[in-house]
Amino acid sequence: MAHGDTSRLIRLGTRSSPLAMAQSGHVARDLETATGLTSELIPIRVEGDDHTMAMDGASRPGIFASALRDALVSGEVDYIVHSYKDLPSTPMNGADLVAVPPRVNPRDVLAGTSLTLDELAKGAKIGTSSPRRASALKRLRNDLEIVPIRGNVDTRLRKVATGEVDAVIMAYAGLERLGVLDESWQVFDPDQMLPAPAQGALAIECGMGDQELRSALATLDHGPTLLETIAERMVLCGVEATCTTAIGALATWEGRTLTLTAELSDHLYVGYARVTQALEIPDVPGDSEMLAASLGNHVARQLLGQEEGKK
């Protein structure tokens, strides 16, 4: 159903990378299909686009999101789209989460080679700057050499083509959204490598004032994805994660049961911990999100070994 004046052009703030533009383009098309509203993509350079800067060297949390939020709050754009895994856990006044669309496959991929991880030669070089992915790789193949690597998807794949690394680890979702996913590449099972919290999901934020737009964007929200990502991101909060924390989390929704698995490596005196918990969530309005958050908090306490002391 159309919402109000569909002749209005809505300004969508997005990172300027090819992947971010593709993701935002998907949201814009879905919004137009659902409501008739047309969006204009406004590319915004963010702090994280500086690939020479250390991940922990940002001036404030959210190196991939802060500039987008600034543009939203200042009125330069009407709504913004993030890769949900890049969104800081701390909310920002004037930037409200209004929708989490259905997410695509959240898993990680060994990209750039048709070989599996087991088939790679001893000492093979794997490109990733993710502490989570590096920790998982070390558990799977301790002989591998981890090479820090950043940049857009095509930049990372080019490093494989030129022989700088033998393979790179990237998110299935990004490769699929850009149309560069090769079926010969190994997709990691969550038992091998848990995704980052909210990986594969997008987050849409909007200001408080535009109720018509907020209502339109809410049509893109997907309840199961929202609950899964709430639980996963509450693990981040519960363990006081930073951008250098090796943490993975994946929740799945089936029937009325939300199952959450999370793992943590070398953080707050935890060498390695992995926890799985399930929670039945009754169909009671207003309770689902609170219960999903409580599941995430519970799993975080277990990861940190604090649960027994609180009983």
Side-chain angles (χ1 to χ4, degrees):
M1 180 180 294
H3 284 66
D5 180 12
T6 57
S7 65
R8 173 187 174 191
L9 189 63
I10 312 297
R11 299 166 300 170
L12 192 174
T14 175
R15 289 180 59 198
S16 57
S17 72
L19 176 55
M21 294 288 285
Q23 291 175 163
S24 295
H26 281 299
V27 171
R29 288 190 291 274
D30 289 345
L31 180 65
E32 185 170 12
T33 298
T35 69
L37 292 172
T38 304
S39 300
E40 174 190 10
L41 270 61
I42 308 295
I44 298 170
R45 183 169 178 80
V46 303
E47 196 170 7
D49 290 331
D50 179 2
H51 299 144
T52 65
M53 183 184 68
M55 293 294 288
D56 58 354
S59 59
R60 55 181 170 155
I63 62 173
F64 297 112
S66 296
L68 298 181
R69 286 174 153 181
D70 289 343
L72 177 64
V73 172
S74 68
E76 296 173 43
V77 297
D78 300 302
Y79 73 107
I80 51 181
V81 173
H82 311 272
S83 289
Y84 203 174
K85 67 182 179 66
D86 294 333
L87 196 61
S89 55
T90 303
M92 179 175 177
N93 289 335
D96 290 345
L97 180 69
V98 292
V100 179
R103 75 167 157 188
V104 297
N105 193 326
R107 299 182 183 186
D108 288 304
V109 176
L110 183 70
T113 178
S114 59
L115 298 177
T116 67
L117 191 70
D118 288 341
E119 292 170 340
L120 288 172
K122 184 176 181 180
K125 296 180 179 181
I126 309 297
T128 180
S129 290
S130 161
R132 171 187 61 84
R133 290 168 175 158
S135 294
L137 286 170
K138 287 299 186 181
R139 290 193 296 271
L140 294 168
R141 285 277 307 268
N142 195 41
D143 63 291
L144 297 173
E145 180 181 348
I146 309 300
V147 178
I149 186 173
R150 291 180 62 192
N152 295 331
V153 169
D154 59 345
T155 300
R156 301 186 199 194
L157 290 176
R158 196 177 304 121
K159 290 182 184 296
V160 182
T162 59
E164 186 172 334
V165 294
D166 296 295
V168 291
I169 308 293
M170 289 190 286
Y172 185 107
L175 295 167
E176 183 180 53
R177 286 175 175 139
L178 282 173
V180 297
L181 182 68
D182 189 315
E183 291 185 0
S184 71
W185 296 344
Q186 180 183 359
V187 180
F188 288 103
D189 187 273
D191 287 340
Q192 299 172 300
M193 185 177 294
L194 269 182
Q199 185 162 300
L202 302 178
I204 303 172
E205 290 188 314
C206 184
M208 286 291 294
D210 196 337
Q211 293 301 320
E212 180 183 337
L213 179 56
R214 290 169 65 92
S215 175
L217 291 169
T219 64
L220 304 182
D221 194 49
H222 184 242
T225 298
L226 177 62
L227 296 181
E228 291 168 357
T229 52
I230 285 174
E232 292 165 15
R233 284 172 58 83
M234 284 308 297
V235 178
L236 278 177
C237 298
V239 303
E240 301 175 18
T242 70
C243 61
T244 59
T245 302
I247 182 168
L250 180 63
T252 55
W253 174 259
E254 187 172 349
R256 297 296 310 177
T257 300
L258 186 64
T259 303
L260 173 63
T261 298
E263 63 184 13
L264 182 67
S265 303
D266 303 320
H267 180 66
L268 297 182
Y269 308 106
V270 176
Y272 176 72
R274 184 180 176 108
V275 173
T276 297
Q277 288 287 320
L279 181 65
E280 189 79 13
I281 297 183
D283 189 9
V284 178
D287 282 1
S288 297
E289 294 179 23
M290 179 186 67
L291 290 171
S294 71
L295 176 62
N297 276 321
H298 178 76
V299 167
R301 292 197 301 271
Q302 288 190 308
L303 287 174
L304 294 176
Q306 298 175 357
E307 191 62 19
E308 286 300 319
K310 292 181 179 290
K311 291 181 178 179

